[in-house]
Amino acid sequence: GAGVSQSPSNKVTEKGKDVELRCDPISGHTALYWYRQSLGQGLEFLIYFQGNSAPDKSGLPSDRFSAERTGGSVSTLTIQRTQQEDSAVYLCASSSGQGASYGYTFGSGTRLTVV
Amino acid sequence: GQSLEQPSEVTAVEGAIVQINCTYQTSGFYGLSWYQQHDGGAPTFLSYNALDGLEETGRFSSFLSRSDSYGYLLLQELQMKDSASYFCAVSSGGYNKLIFGAGTRLAVHP
């Protein structure tokens, strides 16, 4: 596609429920990233994919968080047993694999609210 | 670990010049990036500096001094639409991994 697409754009869930967030990167972009942004804060790195593998998942906050990428394209971030502190905007970005020099293209994010 | 420091807020008037500074501490430094984010929007890429010096892109310029672990974003001829948050980010711990600062909120007034 022309840009990075994320769905849903908004998600309200009850504490304890599982949620799945989807990211569809720019076609041909081999690198994919997930970040989390709390209100008025910076971007917190979660996980990085190169193709289907995740060389760096050091930012995942707990074992309730997992992510996968299939076909070198779509990625899903899953949060199990959601907690109120999980409320944030989850941003996905992709790049052409040339590192940061060419810039990341971000999606508009999924705003997750845990009630 | 990595840490970045940038001012939390900057205010300027239309037509003026503003400089947003960023200092960083990291290992395995590859480069310094800048991103702009309007309220409710996605971050967008502005610039990347791997080498010392000034890079100019239209009204925006970015500077890096690797020896001082310091960089800045310079915005000239400010316009109201430049009101946004600006994030510096370092490529560290892996060429493809960006660590972001907390952001500087720029308010441009008439």
Side-chain angles (χ1 to χ4, degrees), chain B residues 3-110:
Chain B
S3 68
L4 298 96
E5 288 193 17
Q6 53 181 129
S8 58
E9 291 185 14
V10 173
T11 303
V13 297
E14 238 180 333
I17 299 172
V18 71
Q19 178 174 311
I20 299 174
N21 298 320
C22 175
T23 57
Y24 59 86
Q25 287 188 326
T26 186
S27 58
F29 176 83
Y30 290 95
L32 184 70
S33 302
W34 288 93
Y35 284 76
Q36 178 192 60
Q37 185 180 32
H38 288 97
D39 284 348
T44 56
F45 173 69
L46 293 177
S47 67
Y48 176 81
N49 295 64
L51 303 175
D52 286 357
L54 189 69
E55 299 271 350
E56 299 183 50
T57 309
R59 294 187 298 113
F60 293 4
S61 302
S62 57
F63 171 84
L64 175 66
S65 168
R66 295 176 67 116
S67 60
D68 294 323
S69 298
Y70 163 77
Y72 65 73
L73 180 69
L74 190 72
L75 298 84
Q76 303 182 73
E77 301 172 17
L78 281 172
Q79 303 175 10
M80 298 294 289
K81 67 179 181 179
D82 297 329
S83 293
S85 291
Y86 292 84
F87 296 89
C88 60
V90 292
S91 304
S92 172
Y95 183 49
N96 259 314
K97 180 176 177 177
L98 270 184
I99 303 300
F100 285 79
T104 298
R105 190 172 185 86
L106 171 64
V108 180
H109 296 289

Side-chain angles (χ1 to χ4, degrees), chain A residues 13-111:
Chain A
T13 190
E14 291 181 354
K15 178 181 172 181
K17 295 284 180 67
D18 297 353
V19 294
E20 282 190 356
L21 313 180
R22 176 188 168 104
C23 173
D24 202 341
I26 290 174
S27 178
H29 277 191
T30 57
L32 185 147
Y33 316 84
W34 284 97
Y35 285 83
R36 178 168 73 173
Q37 186 175 32
S38 299
L39 188 63
Q41 301 299 308
L43 285 73
E44 176 189 4
F45 170 80
L46 297 178
I47 188 170
Y48 152 58
F49 286 93
Q50 183 62 43
N52 290 336
S53 65
D56 191 339
K57 52 180 76 173
S58 62
L60 294 178
S62 74
D63 58 9
R64 295 187 296 105
F65 288 72
S66 63
E68 66 174 11
R69 189 179 184 194
T70 55
S73 181
V74 172
S75 176
T76 303
L77 177 69
T78 301
I79 308 173
Q80 296 179 308
R81 306 181 301 282
T82 52
Q83 302 295 313
Q84 288 189 327
E85 61 262 28
D86 300 334
S87 296
V89 176
Y90 289 81
L91 292 162
C92 174
S94 67
S95 71
S96 62
Q98 299 301 318
S101 60
Y102 287 76
Y104 293 179
T105 301
F106 281 87
S108 297
T110 293
R111 181 175 298 278

